[in-house]
């Protein structure tokens, strides 16, 4: 009983002492102090990672869920219907509201505008901050997977990018090979027509090169990334040991891409069992693959 009373007395006593650091934090937070706010805090503390968000539109919130894990590449499947670009895995999944503009372009405009406030501190700023507050020069890669006919879809995609283009938010290469880095790198895949992308000058829309058949056509001003189907190109299930042929394949394709300054991505990697998925991811990272293609972003983020 005595011990209990002493305990209570010391507890009451401590609450009247000088506030501790946790009290100070709580007080500033509950007062919504201006000392705790800054303009570019939208992605505060998020560290970008070389992860590609496969089927990004399946997530709770397209684009934003991926960014919240620091994912630096997202994929949008676009369908051209009645001159509008809709987002979804198949026609049956489309809705009038879910468009390329509403799910990707407008959110990106507003995030990047927010990361680039005009204030008395920024009159001399020439570079444009990207989406990641912790790494403002890290671009976001937007992979546009054209599901409908390439030559007819391409002009609509290029037009849809105009809000980003006119703000200077798109990485652009001139025909003389000079490239200007900007917050967003847009790359066409799926039905994207190679000839249509090659014809762009200046070019702010790039081409996802074929990783297993790269040749001198492809360079960094055309293809910042090259991809291939892992199942076909490598095939190791992630169970047991990888064999020499499979390991040599990874090294060859990664090496081919790197010799052209192009980044390598393998898609269609095993998703299950988890241990096999992680073995494959780790083997790819260890052998120089640049982008981890992931459905489970939370799990992929733990690989770095
Ligand atoms: C905190 O203050 C800012 C700026 O005045 C205001 O926009 C915001 O709504 C406030 N947040 C809360 C939770 O009161
Ligand atoms: C496309 O336009 C036609 C003619 O206006 C209309 O009947 C049809 O429902 C539209 N389709 C979609 C998917 O909006
Ligand atoms: C911007 O540049 C001018 C001219 O060099 C300089 O006087 C000024 O202090 C700079 N402003 C800031 C916020 O750095
Ligand atoms: C390349 O072209 C751009 C745009 O015309 C020009 O600004 C730049 O100076 C040129 N660079 C070289 C190395 O010629
Ligand atoms: C390189 O590959 C592309 C696409 O696969 C093909 O169109 C082109 O003809 C090839 N170029 C050479 C020089 O082999
Ligand atoms: C590796 O495994 C693949 C697929 O089972 C097989 O085709 C290939 O011959 C194997 N290579 C070696 C060196 O065992």
């Amino acid at each position: 009983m005595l011990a209990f009373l002493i305990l209570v007395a010391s507890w009451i006593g401590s609450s009247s002492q000088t506030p501790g650091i946790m009290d100070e934090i709580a007080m500033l937070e509950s007062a919504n102090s201006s000392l705790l706010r800054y303009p570019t805090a939208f992605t505060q503390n998020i560290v970008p990672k070389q992860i590609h968000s496969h089927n990004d539109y399946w997530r709770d919130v397209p684009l934003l869920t991926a960014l919240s894990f620091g994912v630096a590449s997202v994929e949008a499947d676009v369908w051209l219907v009645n001159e509008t670009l809709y987002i979804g895995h198949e026609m049956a999944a489309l809705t009038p509201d879910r468009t390329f503009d509403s799910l990707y372009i407008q959110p990106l405009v507003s995030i990047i505008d927010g990361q680039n406030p005009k204030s008395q501190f920024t009159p001399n700023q020439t570079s444009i901050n990207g989406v990641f507050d912790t790494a403002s020069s890290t671009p976001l890669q937007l992979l546009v997977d054209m599901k409908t006919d390439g030559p007819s879809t391409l002009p609509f995609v290029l037009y849809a990018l105009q809000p980003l283009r006119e703000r200077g938010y798109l990485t652009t290469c001139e025909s003389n090979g000079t490239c200007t880095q900007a917050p967003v790198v847009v790359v066409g895949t799926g039905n994207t027509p190679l000839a249509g992308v090659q014809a762009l000058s200046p070019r702010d829309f790039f081409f996802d090169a074929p990783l297993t058949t790269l040749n001198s056509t492809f360079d960094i001003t055309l293809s910042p990334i090259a991809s291939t189907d892992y199942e076909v190109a490598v095939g190791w299930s992630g169970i047991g040991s990888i064999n020499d042929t499979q390991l040599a394949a990874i090294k060859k394709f990664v090496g081919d891409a790197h010799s052209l300054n192009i980044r390598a991505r393998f898609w269609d990697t095993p998703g299950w069992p988890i241990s096999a998925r992680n073995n494959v991811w780790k083997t790819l990272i260890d052998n120089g693959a640049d982008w981890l293609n992931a459905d489970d972003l939370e799990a992929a983020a733990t690989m770095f």
Side-chain angles (χ1 to χ4, degrees):
M1 185 62 185
L2 184 62
F4 174 73
L5 286 178
I6 289 168
L7 197 69
V8 169
S10 69
W11 177 69
I12 293 171
S14 78
S15 69
S16 63
Q17 283 166 7
T18 311
I21 190 163
M22 300 317 286
D23 301 301
E24 183 73 11
I25 289 171
M27 192 194 75
L28 286 165
E29 283 180 339
S30 68
N32 191 18
S33 168
S34 66
L35 301 179
L36 306 186
R37 288 193 303 273
Y38 65 98
T40 63
F42 185 72
T43 51
Q44 185 176 8
N45 295 334
I46 299 172
V47 178
K49 301 173 189 74
Q50 294 289 109
I51 298 170
H52 174 71
S53 175
H54 178 238
N55 291 337
D56 183 68
Y57 42 82
W58 278 348
R59 307 195 185 289
D60 294 346
V61 181
L63 179 66
L64 300 189
T65 302
L67 294 182
S68 75
F69 287 110
V71 166
S73 180
V74 296
E75 176 177 312
D77 286 7
V78 303
W79 300 79
L80 179 67
V81 184
N82 280 359
E83 310 208 326
T84 301
L85 297 168
Y86 295 93
I87 295 289
H89 195 58
E90 52 177 19
M91 283 276 185
L94 307 185
T95 75
D97 288 347
R98 286 166 64 92
T99 65
F100 186 47
D101 188 64
S102 66
L103 290 184
Y104 290 93
I105 304 301
Q106 294 308 327
L108 280 173
V109 164
S110 102
I111 293 168
I112 301 167
D113 281 354
Q115 298 305 101
N116 292 278
K118 303 268 177 285
S119 75
Q120 69 267 43
F121 301 103
T122 60
N124 303 332
Q125 177 147 352
T126 49
S127 62
I128 303 174
N129 293 327
V131 298
F132 295 108
D133 186 45
T134 58
S136 56
S137 63
T138 299
L140 177 75
Q141 178 169 266
L142 175 60
L143 227 57
V144 180
D145 186 344
M146 295 185 193
K147 295 298 190 182
T148 39
D149 172 69
S152 15
T153 308
L154 179 62
F156 288 90
V157 172
L158 295 174
Y159 181 72
L161 296 171
Q162 190 58 25
L164 293 168
R165 180 180 296 118
E166 69 192 18
R167 288 169 172 78
Y169 293 171
L170 298 181
T171 289
T172 304
C173 293
E174 307 293 339
S175 48
N176 62 18
T178 305
C179 298
T180 310
Q181 231 206 42
V184 186
V185 180
V186 191
V187 184
T189 187
N191 288 340
T192 299
L194 173 59
V197 178
Q198 282 176 308
L200 301 174
S201 174
R203 182 179 298 131
D204 57 19
F205 184 82
F206 301 90
F207 186 81
D208 183 17
L211 181 59
T212 56
T213 55
L214 286 173
N215 63 34
S216 57
T217 298
F218 301 100
D219 65 14
I220 190 70
T221 71
L222 177 64
S223 297
I225 180 174
S227 307
T228 199
D229 183 339
Y230 170 90
E231 196 54 45
V232 175
V234 183
W236 176 51
S237 67
I239 299 165
S241 313
I242 188 167
N243 75 26
D244 290 348
T245 318
Q246 294 158 335
L247 189 59
I250 298 177
K251 289 185 172 168
K252 177 192 173 353
F253 298 137
V254 168
D256 288 351
H258 288 184
S259 69
L260 296 166
N261 269 324
I262 294 174
R263 289 174 158 180
R265 174 179 72 115
F266 294 86
W267 48 269
D268 193 21
T269 48
W272 190 88
I274 303 291
S275 60
R277 177 197 69 192
N278 292 354
N279 288 342
V280 170
W281 274 349
K282 182 166 189 324
T283 302
L284 289 173
I285 294 173
D286 288 350
N287 289 284
D290 303 278
W291 290 107
L292 211 52
N293 201 69
D295 288 299
D296 185 339
L297 302 179
E298 195 167 7
T302 67
M303 301 299 293
F304 292 87

